[in-house]
Amino acid sequence: MELQKSLQRIILVELLVPLALVLFGSFHGVLQVIFRAGVIRATSFAGIEYYQGLTAHGVINAIVLTAFFAVALGHALISQELKSRLSIFGAGLSMGLMLLGAVMAAAMIYTGQATVLYTFYPPLKAHPIFYVGLVIFIVGSWVPLYMWVPVYLRWRRENPGKKTPLAVVGMFATFIVWQMATLPVAFEVLVQLVPWSLGWTAGVNVVLSRTLFWFFGHPLVYFWLLPIYVMYYTMLPRLAGGKLFSDFAGRFTFMSLILLSCPLGLHHQFADPGISTAWKGIQGVLTMTVVIPSLLTACTIAASLEFAARGRGGTGLFAWWRKLPYFDRENWLFSYLICGLVIFLFGGITGIVNASYNLNNVVHNTAWIPAHFHLTVAGPIFLGILGGSLFLITGLLKKPVVASGMAVAVPYLWMGGTFIFSGGLFLGGLRGEPRRTNLGLTYLNPTSPSYRPDWWISTHVGLVGGLIMGLAILIYFVVLIRSIAASREAAREQEPFTIPLSEPYHDEDIAAVRTFTPWVAAAVLLCVLAYYPPIRDITKSNFKQAPGYKPDSPVAVETIR
Ligand code: HAS
């Protein structure tokens, strides 16, 4: 069944608009490494302040791009796999709200009225329009789940006893996690930040805001990861020429991420005052449990790749790796997914370091942390989105991918750049180099009393990596624009566009992963157990209400209006 024409147009807008913004987001990323290496020794460049650019970089790349991609991929997969038409009104409403919210937030960032970084927690203070824009964006991203539920229930009635397609399970898991995660942040924004930014309240309980933010912020990373896991489980084995080793492993991973994504955000606050060490310790242990679905994914995907490689004549204990289609131009999407997996091995290991309560003291708020998250969100997630978007855009437009050799080069260049960039940041982080700091003004400035010559190597290694990443993005856009400009392919025009999905090798049917209800109920219960005691302690503590600040000044600001 071909996707409805109007849905196709909505999906195209949801992919193309954020990708266009990524040009700005990436430009600010490249500027970051230049500032940090001390090549630019100024508070601003081209009229954009250092922290303003950092805010745009984080909000565009980590929030706007990821959420739009999840919605677009979800629409395509749910419609295709349930062979159902979706509500165009619902899809259009969701797109309209998300675009409006993104434009409001971007306008405030670029006019210098929302320099609050992507975490937007107080005492950094933004214009009310920024917060209202965020709320509208989030509400828009809630709509798809409520559109898909009736479609899914109808499918279940019409297909009694049939297993829900794995891709559908994965997309529902993504948006259930998103729904649960966004409730606390909606409370933070509506009850604390909007009244404060309007000047109705004098200050904010910062510890409460940070806790509500990280209640959202950690599941946010699984909201980013889940659509990419959907691609790993349902598309990668087929792209490799094989089958998914275990269907159960996929279902268990998706269900267990519903259960485990939310109740562990305190591992971002190991260094915060006002929260007992007992609850930090408990959530630290829970953080280690969320590693399990990812380790299961590593084993299952490796087994699926081995099955495919042996089918292509691969032999030996490890030599079969050589038979995978790493550089196949016809199968260019494989390279985006495999490079993401290789990067994620290192992102995952460094996440386990961060989650260890004692080791976290060494790396917290240092350059180590952005090194970790560029091997996760800027690794598998970003490459999955770049590859997935190019695939969907050209597929829906029935156009060929022009310069497919260049398309294959992008993920390898990006992977090399990311490893070099993150290598520099890891090294710097272990030597105490701070994150979110315009190092060129002070620590990388030989005339400053704070000069740290021992940070020169790490920041310059980071600079080289960042420039390579910037080059990879430019090449990607050359491929994308040339492909969009190419003529339609006659052969493709005859065929309906479908996303190629893998068959399972082991098709287990296990009752525990058949329905969402017990997993969602357990997840809600676990969240209450994990968060009620620390939030009660915070609200009973006598914290002073903090006034607003800007990131580059130690002096409190008046209400920004
Ligand atoms: Fe994290 C901070 C712990 C995963 C993103 N994380 C961050 C921040 C971001 C982020 C953005 O406990 C910074 C937030 C800020 O601005 O302050 N993280 C973890 C842990 C995991 C983890 C335990 N993080 C992610 C993912 C992210 C992400 C995924 C984005 C999508 N992280 C932390 C902690 C902090 C933190 C602390 C706070 C630190 C602080 O002090 O501020 C785990 O989920 C990781 C599990 C993953 C694995 C890897 C499995 C490997 C796979 C690949 C297999 C490869 C194959 C192919 C098969 C165990 C699936 C091989 C092929 C060949 C050819 C070899």
Side-chain angles (χ1 to χ4, degrees):
M1 188 192 109
E2 178 101 79
L3 298 181
Q4 297 136 275
K5 284 277 175 260
S6 325
L7 187 65
Q8 293 191 18
R9 281 194 284 274
I10 290 172
I11 291 174
L12 284 170
V13 173
E14 288 174 340
L15 296 172
L16 286 166
V17 172
L19 276 178
L21 288 175
V22 163
L23 273 175
F24 295 93
S26 307
F27 169 70
H28 295 305
V30 171
L31 277 183
Q32 276 298 306
V33 283
I34 299 178
F35 272 116
R36 285 181 66 91
V39 178
I40 299 176
R41 293 208 176 97
T43 52
S44 65
F45 179 78
I48 302 280
E49 298 285 323
Y50 172 84
Y51 285 108
Q52 197 183 357
L54 186 52
T55 305
H57 175 62
V59 171
I60 291 173
N61 292 2
I63 297 183
V64 175
L65 175 74
T66 49
F68 269 116
F69 180 75
V71 170
L73 183 70
H75 285 328
L77 283 172
I78 302 274
S79 177
Q80 172 180 313
E81 290 301 280
L82 300 183
K83 296 184 181 50
S84 303
R85 297 169 71 81
L86 300 184
S87 155
I88 298 303
F89 172 75
L93 178 71
S94 157
M95 179 189 72
L97 290 173
M98 288 175 76
L99 286 176
L100 176 66
V103 167
M104 287 167 72
M108 291 301 104
I109 294 171
Y110 279 105
T111 53
Q113 299 177 81
T115 304
V116 289
L117 310 181
Y118 89 102
T119 39
F120 59 87
Y121 36 58
L124 296 182
K125 189 174 193 176
H127 193 284
I129 292 180
F130 173 78
Y131 298 120
V132 174
L134 285 182
V135 171
I136 294 176
F137 183 81
I138 288 178
V139 170
S141 66
W142 282 346
V143 175
L145 180 64
Y146 298 97
M147 271 170 61
W148 301 338
V149 167
V151 174
Y152 173 58
L153 294 177
R154 193 174 59 237
W155 180 89
R156 293 229 2 203
R157 277 195 305 277
E158 289 168 2
N159 296 273
K162 212 169 163 187
K163 272 166 90 177
T164 306
L166 184 59
V168 175
V169 176
M171 289 321 305
F172 269 101
T174 307
F175 280 83
I176 292 170
V177 168
W178 184 238
Q179 181 63 73
M180 287 178 10
T182 43
L183 287 175
V185 81
F187 182 88
E188 179 204 354
V189 173
L190 289 174
V191 177
Q192 290 193 289
L193 303 185
V194 170
W196 178 55
S197 66
L198 285 167
W200 296 345
T201 53
V204 164
N205 179 338
V206 169
V207 181
L208 180 61
S209 297
R210 286 173 58 89
T211 306
L212 291 170
F213 179 84
W214 286 117
F215 193 157
F216 153 79
H218 195 74
L220 169 69
V221 312
Y222 294 101
F223 171 70
W224 296 338
L225 187 65
L226 271 160
I228 310 306
Y229 270 11
V230 171
M231 293 170 74
Y232 287 163
Y233 276 102
T234 64
M235 294 172 74
L236 183 62
R238 170 128 175 222
L239 294 172
K243 294 182 175 184
L244 171 63
F245 188 72
S246 164
D247 178 79
F248 167 73
R251 284 169 204 271
F252 179 78
T253 296
F254 296 144
M255 296 293 188
S256 56
L257 284 175
I258 295 177
L259 176 68
L260 297 171
S261 290
C262 289
L264 36 96
L266 289 190
H267 68 230
H268 291 267
Q269 295 176 269
F270 284 151
D272 280 19
I275 303 169
S276 84
T277 48
W279 283 102
K280 289 177 181 171
I282 289 168
Q283 291 209 16
V285 172
L286 279 170
T287 306
M288 292 302 177
T289 64
V290 83
V291 173
I292 296 168
S294 288
L295 290 176
L296 179 64
T297 303
C299 297
T300 311
I301 300 304
S304 311
L305 293 175
E306 178 176 356
F307 176 76
R310 291 196 187 282
R312 295 165 163 266
T315 52
L317 193 57
F318 295 112
W320 55 265
W321 280 109
R322 289 205 298 261
K323 290 288 176 184
L324 291 170
Y326 300 104
F327 301 105
D328 183 350
R329 288 161 161 233
E330 298 302 309
N331 194 1
W332 55 268
L333 183 54
F334 180 84
S335 57
Y336 286 76
L337 301 186
I338 192 76
C339 288
L341 274 172
V342 175
I343 299 175
F344 194 36
L345 275 174
F346 300 91
I349 294 164
T350 51
I352 295 169
V353 171
N354 301 347
S356 313
Y357 200 166
N358 48 355
L359 287 182
N360 184 273
N361 283 326
V362 181
V363 297
H364 182 64
N365 273 344
T366 69
W368 173 284
I369 302 301
H372 157 69
F373 71 67
H374 281 83
L375 297 179
T376 51
V377 66
I381 317 292
F382 193 58
L383 283 179
I385 293 179
L386 292 188
S389 299
L390 185 60
F391 183 81
L392 286 167
I393 292 167
T394 51
L396 291 171
L397 294 175
K398 315 262 182 190
K399 304 224 172 169
V401 171
V402 177
S404 52
M406 280 162 83
V408 169
V410 167
Y412 291 99
L413 205 53
W414 181 264
M415 180 167 69
T418 313
F419 280 146
I420 296 171
F421 166 79
S422 289
L425 265 70
F426 280 133
L427 182 67
L430 291 177
R431 291 175 168 183
E433 191 188 301
R435 67 183 285 199
R436 293 179 158 175
T437 307
N438 187 352
L439 299 176
L441 289 178
T442 48
Y443 302 112
L444 263 286
N445 181 353
T447 61
S448 159
S450 322
Y451 183 48
R452 288 288 300 262
D454 56 324
W455 291 350
W456 192 92
I457 290 282
S458 52
T459 50
H460 282 74
V461 170
L463 172 65
V464 172
L467 293 176
I468 297 173
M469 291 161 83
L471 178 65
I473 286 287
L474 281 181
I475 298 177
Y476 175 82
F477 276 100
V478 170
V479 174
L480 178 70
I481 293 167
R482 284 185 59 191
S483 303
I484 292 173
S487 322
R488 286 168 166 245
E489 274 186 323
R492 282 184 163 212
E493 278 188 290
Q494 313 307 322
E495 299 278 315
F497 168 71
T498 46
I499 301 173
L501 301 183
S502 319
E503 285 172 34
Y505 178 67
H506 292 291
D507 193 7
E508 312 90 336
D509 189 12
I510 294 173
V513 290
R514 225 177 272 151
T515 53
F516 292 99
T517 316
W519 295 90
V520 175
V524 172
L525 185 67
L526 198 55
C527 281
V528 173
L529 291 177
Y531 268 105
Y532 174 70
I535 288 184
R536 187 202 51 208
D537 290 351
I538 292 166
T539 47
K540 284 193 171 171
S541 300
N542 209 6
F543 289 117
K544 272 184 152 176
Q545 302 288 305
Y549 284 85
K550 285 189 163 185
D552 51 4
S553 163
V555 182
V557 290
E558 291 302 314
T559 304
I560 308 167
R561 281 208 226 179

